[in-house]
Structure formats: C-alpha cells, structure tokens
Amino acid sequence: KLAYLKPRLQPNRFGRMSLTFEGMGANNNWARQESYGGRMVENCTQATARDILAEAMRRLEQAGFEIVGHVHDEVIIEAPVGRYKVDEVCRLMAENPLWCPDCPLDAAGYEAPSYYFKD
C-alpha cells in the first residue's frame, strides 16, 4: 500500500491544481508537499519494485542463501566458494510473484571475493 498523509487538491506554485500531502520538509519539519503525475508514477514504480525484491529475498533465504545486505535492486550473498551458482540466484530473483505473473523480470549477477559496485 502506498499512502500520502492528509492529501488535498490545491493550487501549486505554478497556479495549477495539484495533489499535495504532508511530509518531511526542510530541517525535518512537517510541511505540505506538492506532487505531480511523474512523481506519483515514480512512487508506484519504486514501491512495486521494492515488493518484488522483498519476495525475491524471501525465496533466496528459503533456498538457503545467506543475504548479508541489499542495495537498491541488488542482493549481497555471502557463501563458501563453489557452493552456489550465480545462475541459481538469478533464476530465483527473476521468478514472478503470484500478484504480478506477467511482469517481465530478469536478473543478472556476478561472483566476487568481496562486494563492489560493477557497472
């Protein structure tokens, strides 16, 4: 579920009607935030991606993988050398949750002696 605190339609700084909501502003104070269509789509997309990742992490843990961290859309698994294959991790990561069976998912991975960002 995605929720916005105390939503309201009101004119934005450009004079157009806009969805606004309460959120954390400057100095961590509650303030009315403006939004727009692009931000709403981004919020929905990121929330959906997070839910897909959470289910993939659950599947990996159930299969015995030790997740030691995750960064954005990556999982970091610590395992003895040769115990698992990257393809097995990718297969589990790309498995569709029941609630989005037609979402095109794929995963890629690599094996390394320590974590590093790879372009």
Side-chain angles (χ1 to χ4, degrees):
K1 293 182 180 179
L2 190 57
Y4 297 92
L5 183 62
K6 298 181 182 175
R8 191 181 307 156
L9 278 175
Q10 63 187 58
N12 63 17
R13 62 182 172 219
F14 305 110
R16 292 198 199 139
M17 291 305 285
S18 172
L19 176 65
T20 65
F21 59 93
E22 288 192 13
M24 294 305 248
N27 302 323
N28 288 328
N29 292 322
W30 286 99
R32 187 134 296 268
Q33 307 284 318
E34 292 179 2
S35 195
Y36 58 97
R39 179 178 290 157
M40 303 304 246
V41 170
E42 177 188 22
N43 289 170
C44 292
T45 301
Q46 288 180 344
T48 303
R50 178 261 169 223
D51 290 349
I52 290 170
L53 177 63
E55 288 202 25
M57 290 173 65
R58 187 175 301 128
R59 281 192 301 277
L60 288 166
E61 287 177 338
Q62 288 172 346
F65 291 94
E66 184 183 348
I67 298 172
V68 296
H70 61 94
V71 180
H72 300 293
D73 61 348
E74 297 180 24
V75 292
I76 305 163
I77 295 171
E78 190 170 85
V81 174
R83 181 164 180 196
Y84 299 111
K85 300 280 186 209
V86 173
D87 290 346
E88 186 178 357
V89 174
C90 293
R91 182 186 58 75
L92 289 168
M93 291 283 296
E95 194 175 302
N96 285 72
L98 294 175
W99 51 269
C100 63
D102 298 324
C103 183
L105 298 178
D106 198 6
Y110 62 93
E111 188 176 326
S114 62
Y115 177 77
Y116 67 94
F117 177 76
K118 182 178 177 183
D119 261 334

